[in-house]
Amino acid sequence: MIDTKLKPGLEDVAVATTRLSSIDGEHGALVIGGYPIAELAPNATYEESVYLLLNDRLPDEEELERFRRELADRRSISEEVASILRQAATEEASAMDALRMGLSAATLQSNANDGRETAHRLIAVVPTIVAAYWRFRQGKVPVTPRLDLGHAANLLYMMWGEDPAEDAVRGLETYLNTVIDHGLNASTFTARTVVSTESDLVSAATAAAGALKGPLHGGAPGPVLDMLKAVHQTGDPEGFVRDILENGERVMGFGHRVYRARDPRAEVLSSAAERFYSRSGRDDFFETAKELERVGTKLLLEYKPDRPLKTNVEFYTAVLLHGIGIPRELFTATFAAARMGGWMAHILEQKRDNQLVRPTSHYDGDTGRVWTPVQERKNSHLRK
Ligand code: COA
């Protein structure tokens, strides 16, 4: 018999088998391509993480060099794409809207090969699009990508126009690895749904970027940073969080659909941020974050005793990216730069063993209505 029990938000519904990542929400554990996140994220380059997801194993030195080159060769954007990004920046479109437009335009010739080459192009080009958009927003010209730099270093180089410090590169690389993949989150599910119709990779990537943009998914770290800055200024985390909860609002950076324990990515990013801030001599901002986490967790337990609400990945994303010097406006687009690797791996996995994604719904509308010609309809009583 078909189970048509309503599952709003598809909570706890498994719809795919994957080798890419595994989440244990009860115990707060995340495994990427077989490696616990705390093992992979601080050690790997982003290219190694992508290779791992696309090939189900880490590369040796020669394979890694070839793969780095393969991605680096696909970084450039044409003058036409740059012009779209200039226009997006002039009109103050968000970075995610610019990314969506840039992705579609930057892959004009990619439809001939809708497999790995397109996947590599999509992964490689995100930093170039994001950095070019940001340069235009600053009234500057885009910086040409460098072939000799890794994915993370090149992103910072293209944003700033100068060689990034080693600490900043390591911090960003840890971030990119940490969020590269995370089971069937909303954007990844979106990407898999699009290719399940035998549509193409570019359509799937732009749809996924659209899903990531929302504040309940990838849009949370911006508001987290606003909260952190406010609390850092007032020194009153308790008053700030209590006001939010008294107004019936959500404390951004806390809670997760799957984790009932602390999000393991918050752990990895918190350690990375701690290292970064202590080396840069700005420990006070990191201390504010720790205090806000402590107070927020305590108050959420008081206001929502039935729901364990701990810090999620976005909380320490805001702390780390802000420390590195990534502007708030680019937080979600930087997330997309990382997640593109995961989206592509999921898409290729879906294509290997595809079944059209097509759930069902429960109907609670009317039935048996009788057609009335438009001239005879009187809806005035329905209008206010
Ligand atoms: N602050 C306050 N209350 C929260 C909360 C938060 N951050 N997260 C969840 N809750 C509460 C809800 O208000 C709801 O309470 P109620 O039952 O009294 O109405 C309960 O917890 C369940 O919320 P629900 O939205 O059904 O759970 P979910 O599993 O769908 O929520 C999130 C997951 C991520 C959408 C949610 O925790 C949230 O909105 N967090 C803040 C945004 C954020 O940080 N997003 C990044 C996610 S990585």
Side-chain angles (χ1 to χ4, degrees), residues 183-196:
L184 273 202
N185 58 85
S187 57
T188 302
F189 179 60
T190 301
R192 288 189 80 128
T193 301
V194 173
V195 287
S196 84

Side-chain angles (χ1 to χ4, degrees), residues 8-9 11 182 214-221 224 241 244-245 248-260 263 265 300 303-315 335:
E11 189 160 3
H182 198 238
L216 298 190
H217 190 5
V224 170
V241 175
I244 295 176
L245 292 169
E249 290 164 9
R250 292 181 178 220
V251 190
M252 302 308 271
F254 287 80
H256 198 272
R257 170 60 67 82
V258 180
Y259 293 116
R260 294 297 162 256
D263 184 335
R265 300 167 301 171
L300 281 163
Y303 281 77
K304 305 274 170 188
D306 302 331
R307 181 97 175 175
L309 294 166
K310 310 258 168 61
T311 40
N312 60 43
V313 64
E314 307 294 21
F315 190 87
F335 188 171

Side-chain angles (χ1 to χ4, degrees), residues 9 19-20 26 81 97 107 136 164 169 176 183 194 205 208 263 331 341 363 374:
R19 290 187 63 79
L20 302 172
E26 263 327 297
V81 176
D97 288 340
T107 47
F136 284 129
V169 176
L176 297 178
V194 173
D263 184 335
F331 282 0
Y363 180 69
V374 67

